[in-house]
Amino acid sequence: GAGVSQSPRYKVAKRGQDVALRCDPISGHVSLFWYQQALGQGPEFLTYFQNEAQLDKSGLPSDRFFAERPEGSVSTLKIQRTQQEDSAVYLCASSSRRTLREGSRVKETQYFGPGTRLLVL
Amino acid sequence: DAKTTQPNSMESNEEEPVHLPCNHSTISGTDYIHWYRQLPSQGPEYVIHGLTSNVNNRMASLAIAEDRKSSTLILHRATLRDAAVYYCILRDGATGSNTGKLIFGQGTTLQVKP
C-alpha cells in the first residue's frame, strides 16, 4: 500500500519568503507528526495531530511556524518569513488507525515520509 | 523522556553479526525501548521495540539487560543495505500528557564494509 508522501521533495526559498510543505499520511491513520532534522542531527519533534485536532505544538520553534490538518488527513506545515536557520529536512510521520489513549500511543509504530529538504538562501 | 547514550559510529563487515549498544541508566518502569533506523536520504523506519523481554522480528533482535539499564540491537547478518543511522529511543507508556512523539538522540552511524 501507499506510504507517507511529502511534497515538494526539495524547496529553495529566499530569506523572508513564505513556504508550505505538504504531507499525505497513510490512509486512515489518525495520528500525524511533524519533525525537523538539521544536517547531521537526529529529527526533532515539532507538532502532533490526532485527526484534525492539534494536540501538541510544543516543538514549533517560533510563531512563524504553523501547521494544520483541517479534514484530519492531509497536513500542511507553513513557515512564514523564512530564515536561514530554518534550512533543514522536514519529516512527516503517521500512525494508528484508532484513536488511542495517551499511554497506548507509545506502542504505535510511526511511518515516516521521505521528507522535504528546505534550503533558505 | 529518559535519555539514551549510543556510540557515534560503528563498523561491520558484510554478512557478520552487528551488536549496537544503547545505555539508558535512568529508564523508568513504564519506558518502552524502541529502535528506528534512517537510511541515507530517507525518513526513519521502525526496527523493533521491547519492554522487558528480549524480542525478535524479521529485521533484528533486541536484547534487554535484566536491570533494563542497557539494551543491544542485534543484526544477525549485516548487509550493505543495513548501513544507516540507528536510533535508540525511550517512550514512556504512562506519562499523562504523552502524545507518543519520538525523541531522537544522535544515534549510531553504522558502516558496513563489503
Side-chain angles (χ1 to χ4, degrees):
Chain A
V4 178
S5 60
Q6 294 186 244
S7 61
R9 291 294 311 277
Y10 303 92
K11 177 69 178 178
V12 179
K14 293 182 179 178
R15 191 174 59 177
Q17 186 179 351
D18 297 348
V19 298
L21 312 180
R22 177 187 170 107
C23 172
D24 285 80
I26 292 173
S27 178
H29 274 189
V30 167
S31 296
L32 186 145
F33 300 82
W34 282 99
Y35 295 86
Q36 179 191 57
Q37 186 171 25
L39 189 65
Q41 305 295 314
E44 291 191 358
F45 169 78
L46 292 177
T47 187
Y48 164 69
F49 289 86
Q50 181 172 285
N51 296 305
E52 68 280 1
Q54 189 174 18
L55 299 187
D56 186 353
K57 51 183 179 179
S58 63
L60 296 176
S62 77
D63 58 7
R64 296 186 296 103
F65 287 71
F66 173 76
E68 60 184 5
R69 194 186 186 198
E71 297 178 359
S73 55
V74 171
S75 178
T76 303
L77 176 67
K78 298 180 180 178
I79 309 173
Q80 297 176 325
R81 303 181 304 282
T82 53
Q83 304 294 315
Q84 286 185 324
E85 61 261 29
D86 300 334
S87 296
V89 175
Y90 290 86
L91 295 160
C92 175
S94 71
S95 69
S96 308
R97 296 190 182 279
R98 300 167 295 143
T99 301
L100 299 172
R101 62 181 175 84
E102 291 166 351
S104 298
R105 292 176 196 152
V106 295
K107 303 175 190 176
E108 291 291 310
T109 296
Q110 291 188 21
Y111 298 88
F112 283 80
T116 294
R117 185 176 296 276
L118 173 65
L119 177 62
V120 181
L121 302 176
Chain B
D1 292 281
K3 184 178 174 61
T4 63
T5 304
Q6 301 177 252
N8 287 334
S9 63
M10 291 185 65
E11 284 187 357
S12 173
N13 293 319
E14 195 176 12
E15 297 189 3
E16 290 186 355
V18 182
H19 290 232
L20 297 164
C22 180
N23 287 320
H24 27 78
S25 58
T26 59
I27 192 170
S28 74
T30 54
D31 282 332
Y32 286 78
I33 302 161
H34 286 246
W35 285 80
Y36 279 72
R37 72 178 185 180
Q38 188 171 22
L39 279 66
S41 300
Q42 295 187 28
E45 65 174 348
Y46 169 81
V47 178
I48 200 167
H49 80 276
L51 183 61
T52 56
S53 303
N54 294 344
V55 184
N56 299 293
N57 66 20
R58 64 175 180 82
M59 289 182 69
S61 296
L62 177 60
I64 301 172
E66 193 169 338
D67 63 6
R68 301 210 325 126
K69 294 185 176 182
S70 65
S71 60
T72 302
L73 179 70
I74 302 167
L75 307 179
H76 295 287
R77 289 184 65 208
T79 70
L80 297 178
R81 290 178 297 174
D82 291 321
V85 179
Y86 287 78
Y87 296 99
C88 172
I89 300 167
L90 298 184
R91 303 179 73 189
D92 189 350
T95 303
S97 59
N98 185 357
T99 61
K101 65 187 177 188
L102 295 170
I103 299 178
F104 292 84
Q106 295 280 68
T108 296
T109 300
L110 175 65
Q111 293 183 322
V112 181
K113 296 184 287 186

